[in-house]
Amino acid sequence: MTAGAANPSRFQRFLLPGFALKAVIIGGGYATGRELAEYFVPSGPWGGLAAMLLATGIWSLVAALTFALARQFGAYDYRAFFKGLLGPGWIAFEAAYIIFVILILAVFGAAAAAIGAATFGWPEWVGALLLAVLIVAVTARGTGVVEQMFKYVSILLYTVYALFLILALARFGGPIAQGFAAAPPPSGDWMAGGVTYASYNIVGAVVILPVLRHLTSQRDAVVAGLIAGPLSMLPAVLFFVAMMAFYPAIGAETLPSDFLLRQMNVPGFHILFQVMILAALLESGAGAVHAINERISGAVESRGRPALGAGARALIGAAILTGCMFVAGEIGLVDLIASGYRFLAWLFLAVFVVPLLTLGTWRLLRPASVPHMEALP
């Protein structure tokens, strides 16, 4: 396994993990607003924000523990990490992660198809195919290229979301303000929405383990983890505030982003925003596929063989994406998010979050009893 840079920058130590986590989380439902409509809009303006803050806190806590434990284990792919955390039970996470990848890549394919059709008038298969080709091209090049993608797409993404909120306030700031002023305090099941959303997304903390090689200390790991939560949620908060101009009707929109952009009626920005979403789908999909490549490469290297080359990485990515895009076409974006994600939330609570908060915390407090991954057979 390759090591990090000899003198990693502050960006690589503190911001890159958060950008990478955001990259995996943002995906097809967050970037289009469909996930926000599913898990936060039903709780109203203040309840939705409260649920987002709860999810942010969960992400920061779990990311900090995950990063610190990964560095203690010397584990920079999810297979090595769960061997250290769960021992022989690591295979349970492997099974859960395969289900996760199939579902989220299907969501990304459905989102790309919907965006291509709505914005550019493409046949639906064109958007899905373009996304798949780009994911294969990026992941075939390895960790360095994936990290650069996280950096530059993140800059684009934060900039576009900031412009999005500015335009939303300019076009319909009155309804947004009225919506928040008239809304009751958080009540009902807003906590369930926050916990559900946090639970299936926080698996991103182990998906991005390859970028943690730049950490130089446990302090780096904890700080990077705590920062990762707000970095990952900030664009969603900006998006959610804009959505409240059309609460509650916007909750029924398949692509809330496209709905809001049509209300803004700024054609150039409409296209820019949809291109940004496609870039977000690319970084999310690339993060998920890259984690599988690194897991396989790590297993190959542990047997004394060379790391995976670009050709092998491309073939693995193409095989995964072919199956997932078929699922996307058969089921559709809304049903994938509404049904599959809740199932994943319970699955990852059982095989990741609960073991991390219990066994993981205990092992962090008793580091002498935890062998480094390089010492394991």
Side-chain angles (χ1 to χ4, degrees):
M1 307 292 281
T2 57
N7 295 298
S9 65
R10 291 193 176 192
F11 169 81
Q12 290 173 314
R13 292 162 57 203
F14 300 123
L15 296 180
L16 178 60
F19 282 0
L21 180 62
K22 178 270 304 165
V24 173
I25 286 173
I26 193 165
Y30 172 158
T32 63
R34 186 58 237 168
E35 285 181 0
L36 308 187
E38 186 71 35
Y39 298 107
F40 301 125
V41 169
S43 299
W46 295 115
L49 285 180
M52 288 178 150
L53 290 175
L54 175 60
T56 302
I58 293 171
W59 286 349
S60 289
L61 172 63
V62 174
L65 287 172
T66 300
F67 296 174
L69 198 61
R71 188 175 182 279
Q72 182 171 296
F73 288 162
Y76 299 113
D77 65 71
Y78 69 80
R79 173 178 175 268
F81 178 85
F82 280 96
K83 278 195 168 185
L85 178 62
L86 300 177
W90 71 272
I91 195 67
F93 178 83
E94 181 93 79
Y97 185 68
I98 290 170
I99 296 171
F100 168 77
V101 169
I102 292 171
L103 179 61
I104 66 164
L105 290 178
V107 168
F108 300 165
I115 291 167
T119 306
F120 305 109
W122 297 340
E124 290 197 348
W125 64 268
V126 174
L129 179 62
L130 175 62
L131 177 65
V133 170
L134 290 173
I135 289 172
V136 170
V138 169
T139 54
R141 302 290 299 279
T143 299
V145 172
V146 172
E147 288 181 1
Q148 290 298 307
M149 179 201 61
F150 288 157
K151 177 180 178 179
Y152 292 112
V153 171
S154 294
I155 292 170
L156 170 67
L157 189 145
Y158 289 122
T159 301
V160 171
Y161 270 111
L163 291 173
F164 181 79
L165 181 62
I166 291 169
L167 283 172
L169 292 173
R171 298 283 179 170
F172 28 82
I176 292 174
Q178 291 169 11
F180 278 96
S187 61
D189 61 354
W190 66 269
M191 292 183 68
V195 171
T196 301
Y197 187 68
S199 297
Y200 73 79
N201 274 304
I202 193 51
V203 69
V206 289
V207 173
I208 65 159
L209 290 179
V211 309
L212 301 186
R213 293 186 175 90
H214 304 294
L215 301 179
T216 61
S217 66
Q218 290 296 70
R219 175 183 173 275
D220 282 6
V222 172
V223 171
L226 294 177
I227 292 173
L231 280 178
S232 300
M233 187 61 82
L234 177 60
V237 172
L238 301 180
F239 198 161
F240 180 80
V241 170
M243 290 171 69
M244 289 301 97
F246 301 95
Y247 171 77
I250 199 166
E253 292 289 330
T254 300
L255 291 177
S257 59
D258 190 65
F259 174 83
L260 289 173
L261 290 164
R262 283 188 272 111
Q263 308 310 308
M264 291 177 185
N265 195 26
V266 183
F269 184 74
H270 192 151
I271 294 174
L272 175 63
F273 192 90
Q274 301 294 49
V275 169
M276 180 277 294
I277 293 181
L278 288 173
L281 296 173
L282 169 61
E283 66 173 1
S284 294
V289 173
H290 181 61
I292 293 177
N293 279 335
E294 288 297 288
R295 176 259 188 267
I296 295 172
S297 187
V300 169
E301 290 179 73
S302 70
R303 293 175 171 82
R305 298 174 183 173
L308 290 182
R313 290 173 181 270
L315 285 173
I316 292 168
I320 294 168
L321 287 159
T322 299
C324 294
M325 296 306 174
F326 173 78
V327 173
E330 291 296 310
I331 300 177
L333 179 62
V334 174
D335 289 341
L336 282 167
I337 290 173
S339 303
Y341 281 9
R342 283 189 170 86
F343 169 73
L344 280 177
W346 287 106
L347 196 58
F348 286 127
L349 275 172
V351 301
F352 174 37
V353 177
V354 171
L356 178 73
L357 295 178
T358 53
L359 286 172
T361 301
W362 179 76
R363 287 175 179 171
L364 278 171
L365 295 175
R366 300 190 57 175
S369 65
V370 181
H372 195 280
M373 286 297 103
E374 293 176 356
L376 294 178

